[in-house]
Amino acid sequence: MPEKPPFSKVVAGLPPTVPFVPPEELERKTGTRLQLRLGANESTFGMSPHAREAMAQAAAESNFYGDAHCYPLRQELARLYGVDGDHLVFASGIDELLGLIARAFLNPGDGVTTSLGGYPTFNYHVEGFGGIIHEVPYQKGKNDLEGLSETAVKTGSRIVYLANPDNPTGTWYSAEELADFRASLPADCLLVLDEAYIEFAPKSADLPIDPSDRGIIRTRTFSKVYGMAGARIGYALTHPEIARAFDKIRNHFGVNHIAQAGALAALQDSDFVQKVVASVEQGRREYEELAQSLGFTAYPSATNFVAIDVGSEERAVSLREALWERGVFVRTPGAPPLNRCLRVTVGTPEERTQFAAILRETVQALSKS
Amino acid sequence: MPEKPPFSKVVAGLPPTVPFVPPEELERKTGTRLQLRLGANESTFGMSPHAREAMAQAAAESNFYGDAHCYPLRQELARLYGVDGDHLVFASGIDELLGLIARAFLNPGDGVTTSLGGYPTFNYHVEGFGGIIHEVPYQKGKNDLEGLSETAVKTGSRIVYLANPDNPTGTWYSAEELADFRASLPADCLLVLDEAYIEFAPKSADLPIDPSDRGIIRTRTFSKVYGMAGARIGYALTHPEIARAFDKIRNHFGVNHIAQAGALAALQDSDFVQKVVASVEQGRREYEELAQSLGFTAYPSATNFVAIDVGSEERAVSLREALWERGVFVRTPGAPPLNRCLRVTVGTPEERTQFAAILRETVQALSKS
């Protein structure tokens, strides 16, 4: 009679931490309905009407499994990037891809290098497969490329993770700087370049694609500028040899039919994307001015969010909690020096106005208490 | 400069095989558009209109991430099963759950026991985590419970997989037989009871839930009777200690918002489910009569498909290929003795009539050639 089958060694040793608490759980815990959801860098601009229509139609046909190869979407992205379709890997968002990457490249005990306070879901998956994380502090508000490279060499890391533009700072590097960084890494070390926010960044931050490169995986998503976070679809651009390895381990029918249809339609509506990008650019300027007017400093950002340094971790946490009480969901990065920041998604013009008023009021209320 | 980072030991050793070729790939290869899609046990009855409506609405809001806890759906299922919500684990279908199970319970080299010719995606994930598969042949057309149990003991297996009702045969065991089987397994061996088709089965095949049981994971899905295969949502019923372990490794925001909304709505429409179950029951009888009239034997089935034994593997493959050429998608199980079968999904009454005509014509054409 089965009583208590033991977990695998790696899983038995894992802590119970999760990368992010969902805002719905905040609502359930506090009993407050969030009125401004600006903590997860979702696009409050919504999605292209074409995507919405395609998804509603696809939902009605979703008694059938989606295409395990995401073929029409694959063909379209391959055309856009000027590569063959076998350079692409699809998954339920970048988060799932990061898990596949950790699994494909790490043996238990292998090291990876990432920034201290970088994207926690990467660390979550590395630990989840028994990897060891080497963390390099941010320098002058940016990922420390030299430090990352040195640490990768010194520790014999199998993977270096870099987000460009970065999360949670919003900062970015140019294609030239990325190419130099790329060249500085060891021969047997994979570069994971997480480009979730690349569509918001200047063209100069977009590393040209080298289809012959076997040492890089670039991850992109429909969750941010395309406004499809809840639909769950992202992809990796990489060498076909690496893509074939993922085919040996991925959940083949895992990308839902509705998201596939929505993503394909979203790609056709570049006008919509341009409008979102333009409004977000304007919103970043507004957040910077807001920060300045309150005596805070905003990190320069090429994303759909702004990290506002409020001077101390204590103040950042107090402000976050006070904002939550007022129905405003924002997040604070977990590691120094970024833990002095509120990370705020750039919402629609109306949401920005609301947020500015509530933040001003909250800062004032806290300074009195 | 990264050149060719090596894959993990387990992944480097994997074969390039995949569990299933999607029907879309068949269409692309043959240039024939499928007219009857009866090979993947999708529900051609579609989904409840309530679910469809909920999904269309949820699609429009899916610029926001779905709830990482699937909270409203979790509450509703917990209520239906009379358990606390922490007995449930949600994922993008049972396939993803099987991957999580292999990962949570297997160290490389650990053994599992399953039926020879059973669900290939379980084997895919076991191999994907370095597990060793011990296979027990079907006996008299059914899973060999005694053989499975003996092999689990003999090999020190960490997991035994059993589908009830079974795929690909459609056969089933009663709750009493399952309880005896459960009791015969070693104390440190997990029982995975895959119940993807349980809603089509007689009540007597549904093992009562024991919330204190730490040695079983039951997997269920919205892909079959609820007609939501392309939406991607399934769940596990298990002990909270096991559910908590999955929380340490699962893709927390991986279940899309649209599927969550659709599943919740689908649960409210039991009339729809009953109608599908009744029509499928009628359809199974029709397939059995069809098989008999052609001199073949149908396996008894408590699912939405029927395995038709056509006498030899050669004939099964010829028929499958000939049916594909005529735009009818069916599958043939890969291992003896089931490789003598065509596995055919029970479609709508119209589809059944079409299928009967095409199968008769195909059998006739092949017998002449």
Side-chain angles (χ1 to χ4, degrees):
Chain A
M1 178 89 176
E3 279 159 23
K4 204 177 168 181
F7 295 113
S8 73
K9 287 190 194 88
V10 171
V11 171
L14 291 175
T17 46
V18 300
F20 290 110
V21 174
E24 290 84 0
E25 194 168 319
L26 280 180
E27 289 184 329
R28 290 188 289 269
K29 276 188 179 158
T30 62
T32 312
R33 177 97 185 133
L34 292 170
Q35 52 166 314
L36 284 176
R37 191 165 154 146
L38 303 175
N41 306 334
E42 298 152 325
S43 184
T44 61
F45 298 87
M47 70 192 73
S48 154
H50 299 293
R52 206 182 311 135
E53 212 171 290
M55 287 169 78
Q57 194 181 322
E61 308 157 353
S62 64
N63 54 317
F64 294 110
Y65 287 102
D67 186 336
H69 297 301
C70 303
Y71 191 79
L73 178 62
R74 180 185 297 269
Q75 293 301 96
E76 181 60 14
L77 279 171
R79 197 184 63 75
L80 287 172
Y81 288 123
V83 297
D84 288 334
D86 57 1
H87 286 266
L88 291 158
V89 180
F90 293 90
S92 301
I94 291 178
D95 283 1
E96 187 178 26
L97 287 166
L98 295 177
L100 288 170
I101 291 168
R103 182 174 166 197
F105 287 93
L106 297 180
N107 301 301
D110 283 350
V112 308
T113 297
T114 185
S115 294
L116 174 66
Y119 190 53
T121 308
F122 174 68
N123 296 12
Y124 170 78
H125 286 305
V126 167
E127 289 182 333
F129 287 99
I132 307 294
I133 300 165
H134 304 287
E135 293 179 307
V136 179
Y138 281 78
Q139 292 289 348
K140 300 175 189 165
K142 295 183 76 172
N143 288 293
D144 176 9
L145 298 188
E146 210 175 309
L148 286 165
S149 175
E150 279 171 14
T151 301
V153 173
K154 203 172 61 195
T155 61
S157 282
R158 317 312 317 232
I159 304 176
V160 170
Y161 173 88
L162 179 73
N164 192 67
D166 184 54
N167 179 12
T169 64
T171 56
W172 69 101
Y173 283 103
S174 70
E176 290 74 30
E177 291 166 317
L178 293 171
D180 287 348
F181 174 60
R182 167 94 190 68
S184 74
L185 297 174
D188 59 355
C189 177
L190 175 77
L191 173 58
V192 175
L193 188 61
D194 186 342
E195 302 181 305
Y197 299 95
I198 192 71
E199 295 87 355
F200 296 104
K203 286 272 164 284
S204 59
D206 194 349
L207 187 71
I209 292 170
D210 173 2
S212 70
D213 190 338
R214 300 178 187 196
I216 191 169
I217 301 180
R218 306 169 70 157
T219 57
R220 300 189 170 194
T221 184
F222 288 91
S223 296
K224 301 304 175 184
V225 80
Y226 295 104
M228 292 173 52
R232 303 281 67 209
I233 183 162
Y235 59 97
L237 260 167
T238 189
H239 192 276
E241 276 182 22
I242 293 177
R244 273 198 295 276
F246 288 133
D247 271 341
K248 299 180 189 179
I249 57 173
R250 71 186 181 90
N251 184 13
H252 280 263
F253 291 84
V255 180
N256 74 85
H257 175 60
I258 307 154
Q260 292 188 35
L264 187 59
L267 286 176
Q268 315 302 318
D269 195 350
S270 53
D271 281 0
F272 178 83
V273 170
Q274 279 169 23
K275 277 180 202 150
V276 172
V277 169
S279 185
V280 165
E281 208 178 315
Q282 167 65 24
R284 289 196 304 250
R285 281 194 296 269
E286 292 174 23
Y287 281 5
E288 279 166 40
E289 287 163 18
L290 172 68
Q292 253 180 341
S293 75
L294 292 165
F296 303 150
T297 315
Y299 280 66
S301 168
T303 65
N304 72 340
F305 60 86
V306 175
I308 299 175
D309 186 335
V310 299
S312 72
E313 181 183 15
E314 198 193 341
R315 193 186 288 152
V317 171
S318 311
L319 276 169
R320 183 194 68 198
E321 301 289 327
L323 286 167
W324 284 357
E325 279 170 23
R326 288 160 173 82
V328 180
F329 167 50
V330 299
R331 282 202 172 116
T332 52
L338 309 179
N339 56 3
R340 297 193 310 243
C341 294
L342 295 178
R343 197 196 61 179
V344 191
T345 306
V346 177
T348 60
E350 300 71 41
E351 289 171 323
R352 275 133 50 184
T353 305
Q354 281 180 61
F355 173 71
I358 298 175
L359 182 64
R360 282 183 198 288
E361 184 270 316
T362 309
V363 169
Q364 228 164 20
L366 283 192
S367 71
K368 277 181 201 152
S369 67
Chain B
M1 177 91 176
E3 280 161 22
K4 205 177 169 182
F7 295 112
S8 74
K9 287 190 194 86
V10 170
V11 171
L14 291 175
T17 46
V18 299
F20 290 111
V21 174
E24 290 83 0
E25 193 168 319
L26 280 180
E27 288 185 329
R28 290 189 288 269
K29 275 187 177 156
T30 62
T32 311
R33 177 98 184 134
L34 293 170
Q35 52 168 315
L36 283 176
R37 193 166 154 147
L38 304 174
N41 306 334
E42 297 151 324
S43 183
T44 62
F45 298 88
M47 70 192 76
S48 155
H50 299 292
R52 207 183 310 137
E53 211 171 291
M55 287 170 78
Q57 195 183 323
E61 309 156 352
S62 65
N63 55 316
F64 294 110
Y65 287 102
D67 187 336
H69 297 301
C70 303
Y71 191 80
L73 178 62
R74 180 185 298 269
Q75 294 300 96
E76 182 59 15
L77 279 170
R79 196 184 64 76
L80 288 171
Y81 288 123
V83 296
D84 288 333
D86 57 0
H87 286 266
L88 291 158
V89 181
F90 293 90
S92 301
I94 291 178
D95 283 1
E96 186 178 28
L97 287 166
L98 295 177
L100 287 170
I101 290 168
R103 183 176 165 196
F105 287 92
L106 297 179
N107 300 301
D110 282 349
V112 308
T113 297
T114 184
S115 294
L116 175 66
Y119 190 52
T121 307
F122 175 68
N123 296 12
Y124 170 76
H125 287 305
V126 167
E127 290 183 331
F129 288 98
I132 308 293
I133 300 165
H134 304 288
E135 295 179 307
V136 178
Y138 281 77
Q139 292 289 347
K140 299 175 190 164
K142 293 183 78 171
N143 287 294
D144 176 8
L145 297 189
E146 208 175 312
L148 287 165
S149 176
E150 280 171 14
T151 301
V153 173
K154 203 172 59 194
T155 61
S157 282
R158 317 311 319 231
I159 305 176
V160 170
Y161 173 90
L162 179 73
N164 191 67
D166 184 53
N167 178 14
T169 64
T171 56
W172 70 101
Y173 283 103
S174 71
E176 290 73 30
E177 291 166 316
L178 294 172
D180 288 349
F181 174 59
R182 168 89 189 71
S184 74
L185 297 175
D188 59 357
C189 177
L190 175 78
L191 172 59
V192 174
L193 189 61
D194 186 342
E195 302 180 306
Y197 299 95
I198 192 71
E199 295 87 356
F200 296 103
K203 286 274 165 280
S204 58
D206 195 348
L207 187 70
I209 293 171
D210 173 1
S212 70
D213 191 339
R214 299 178 188 197
I216 191 169
I217 301 181
R218 305 169 71 156
T219 57
R220 298 189 171 196
T221 185
F222 288 90
S223 297
K224 302 301 174 189
V225 80
Y226 295 104
M228 291 173 52
R232 303 282 65 212
I233 183 162
Y235 59 97
L237 261 168
T238 188
H239 193 276
E241 277 182 21
I242 293 177
R244 273 198 295 276
F246 288 135
D247 271 340
K248 299 181 188 181
I249 58 172
R250 72 186 180 89
N251 184 14
H252 280 261
F253 291 83
V255 181
N256 73 85
H257 175 59
I258 307 154
Q260 292 187 36
L264 187 59
L267 286 177
Q268 315 304 318
D269 195 351
S270 53
D271 281 0
F272 178 84
V273 170
Q274 279 168 23
K275 277 180 203 152
V276 172
V277 169
S279 185
V280 165
E281 208 178 317
Q282 167 65 22
R284 287 195 306 248
R285 282 194 296 269
E286 292 173 24
Y287 281 6
E288 278 165 38
E289 287 163 17
L290 173 68
Q292 253 178 340
S293 75
L294 291 166
F296 305 149
T297 317
Y299 279 67
S301 169
T303 66
N304 73 339
F305 60 85
V306 176
I308 299 174
D309 186 335
V310 299
S312 72
E313 181 183 15
E314 196 193 343
R315 193 186 288 154
V317 171
S318 311
L319 277 169
R320 183 193 68 197
E321 301 289 327
L323 286 167
W324 284 356
E325 278 169 26
R326 288 159 174 82
V328 180
F329 168 49
V330 299
R331 283 203 171 114
T332 52
L338 309 179
N339 56 4
R340 296 192 312 242
C341 293
L342 295 178
R343 195 196 62 178
V344 191
T345 306
V346 177
T348 60
E350 300 72 42
E351 290 171 324
R352 276 134 49 184
T353 307
Q354 281 178 60
F355 173 70
I358 298 175
L359 181 64
R360 284 183 195 288
E361 184 268 316
T362 309
V363 169
Q364 227 164 19
L366 283 191
S367 72
K368 278 179 198 152
S369 68

